[in-house]
Amino acid sequence: MLGPVNHIAIAVPDLAGAVALYSKIGAQVSAPQDLPEHGVTVVFIQFPNTKIELLYPLGEDSPIKSFLAKNPSGGIHHICFEVDDIEETGRNVLEAGVRILGNGAPKIGAHGLPVLFAHPADFCGTLVEFEQADGT
Amino acid sequence: MLGPVNHIAIAVPDLAGAVALYSKIGAQVSAPQDLPEHGVTVVFIQFPNTKIELLYPLGEDSPIKSFLAKNPSGGIHHICFEVDDIEETGRNVLEAGVRILGNGAPKIGAHGLPVLFAHPADFCGTLVEFEQADGT
C-alpha cells in the first residue's frame, strides 16, 4: 500500500534565492544541510502535511547537475511516496511494466531508509521515489 | 501563511494507463471527472496526506495540450499550495519579484475557489498554484 507523499524534491540553481522566495511567501524553511554522499545540499520547506526538499548541487559529481543543465530555472526533480514494504512495491512496479533505476534492488536513500526509483519514462514522465516507511 | 500542499498535478498522455499503474501500486484512484470549463479530465489519487490530480486533455483548447506536446510521456504540471489569504499571497509574490500569470487577479479554479498561478521562470522552474483555503 502507498503511504503519504514524503516529499516533493525541487532542484534549484540558486539556493539562497529559492530560500528567500519561499520565506517571503510565509513558508517554514530549514537551514541548508550538506549531504556529500548524495551530492546535494538540501533545504526542507515544511508544510502542514508534507515537505518540499530543495536540492542544490554539491561536488563535481552531483546527480542533479545534468537536470539543472536541461532546466536552467530549476524544476520538480522527483516525488517520494512512503510505502509499507519496499520489496513488495518493487515487485508491483516491475509487474506493472515499469523499470526500476539502477540494479533493481533497494538502496539506502538520503533519509537513511531503503528506497527505489522508478523510470520516469514508464511512470507518467515522473521520477518517483519509493521510500520504506520508518514505522514510527 | 502557507497551508497544506493541496495537490500535485501530473499531466498524462494515457489516462487509463496511468490509472492502471497507480492502482497496481496500491493507490486509491477516483473515477474520471470531466471539467469542460477547464479543458481537462481529472482523476484524483488520494494519499493519506495530500493528493495527485492526473490531468488529461479535454476538448480542442485544452491548456495542457502544449505541455504534453513538450513532454510526451507526461510530467508534473504544477503544485498547489493552500493559503489563508489569496490577496495577501498575491502581494507577497509580486513583492518577491515573481510574476503572476494572467491579469494578476485571482480567478476561480477547478475546485471553485479563488486561485493564482505564479510564473514558473520566476519560481524555481515550478508552476505554482495558490488556492484560497475554503475555511472548512
Side-chain angles (χ1 to χ4, degrees), chain A residues 8-95:
Chain A
I8 304 152
I10 299 180
V12 298
D14 171 5
L15 189 58
V19 164
L21 173 55
Y22 274 93
S23 300
K24 181 79 184 175
I25 60 169
Q28 279 188 281
V29 180
S30 78
Q33 294 177 28
D34 289 344
L35 300 178
E37 69 275 28
H38 294 281
V40 289
T41 299
V42 297
V43 163
F44 299 100
I45 301 174
Q46 190 64 53
F47 290 78
N49 59 339
T50 188
K51 58 182 180 288
I52 284 176
E53 290 186 15
L54 300 178
L55 304 178
Y56 182 76
L58 178 66
E60 285 307 303
D61 300 323
S62 173
I64 61 163
K65 273 194 173 175
S66 61
F67 181 89
L68 286 173
K70 284 182 214 153
N71 302 276
S73 301
I76 297 174
H77 186 267
H78 68 267
I79 312 181
C80 176
F81 304 146
E82 293 180 28
V83 296
D84 291 336
D85 182 336
I86 192 80
E87 302 283 351
E88 181 189 17
T89 297
R91 288 192 297 274
N92 288 343
V93 164
L94 287 172
E95 278 174 23

Side-chain angles (χ1 to χ4, degrees), chain A residues 1-5 10 18 21-22 24-27 47-50 52 73-76 79 81 95-96 98 122-126, chain B residues 1-5 10 18 21-22 24-27 47-50 52 73-76 79 81 95-96 98 122-125:
Chain A
M1 282 294 293
L2 280 184
V5 174
I10 299 180
L21 173 55
Y22 274 93
K24 181 79 184 175
I25 60 169
F47 290 78
N49 59 339
T50 188
I52 284 176
S73 301
I76 297 174
I79 312 181
F81 304 146
E95 278 174 23
V98 172
D122 299 344
F123 214 108
C124 308
T126 311
Chain B
M1 282 294 294
L2 279 183
V5 174
I10 299 179
L21 173 55
Y22 273 94
K24 182 79 185 175
I25 60 169
F47 290 79
N49 59 337
T50 188
I52 284 176
S73 301
I76 298 175
I79 313 179
F81 304 144
E95 277 174 22
V98 172
D122 300 344
F123 214 108
C124 308

Side-chain angles (χ1 to χ4, degrees), chain A residues 108-134:
Chain A
I108 299 302
H111 306 144
L113 295 163
V115 301
L116 289 172
F117 282 89
H119 197 303
D122 299 344
F123 214 108
C124 308
T126 311
L127 180 57
V128 172
E129 178 181 19
F130 297 98
E131 181 179 85
Q132 173 72 52
D134 67 2

Side-chain angles (χ1 to χ4, degrees), chain B residues 28-41:
Chain B
Q28 280 187 280
V29 180
S30 79
Q33 294 177 29
D34 290 344
L35 300 178
E37 68 277 29
H38 294 282
V40 290
T41 299

Side-chain angles (χ1 to χ4, degrees), chain B residues 66-100:
Chain B
S66 61
F67 181 89
L68 286 172
K70 285 183 213 153
N71 303 276
S73 301
I76 298 175
H77 185 268
H78 68 267
I79 313 179
C80 176
F81 304 144
E82 293 180 26
V83 296
D84 291 336
D85 183 336
I86 193 79
E87 302 282 352
E88 180 189 18
T89 296
R91 288 191 295 274
N92 289 343
V93 164
L94 287 172
E95 277 174 22
V98 172
R99 285 165 287 178
I100 291 173

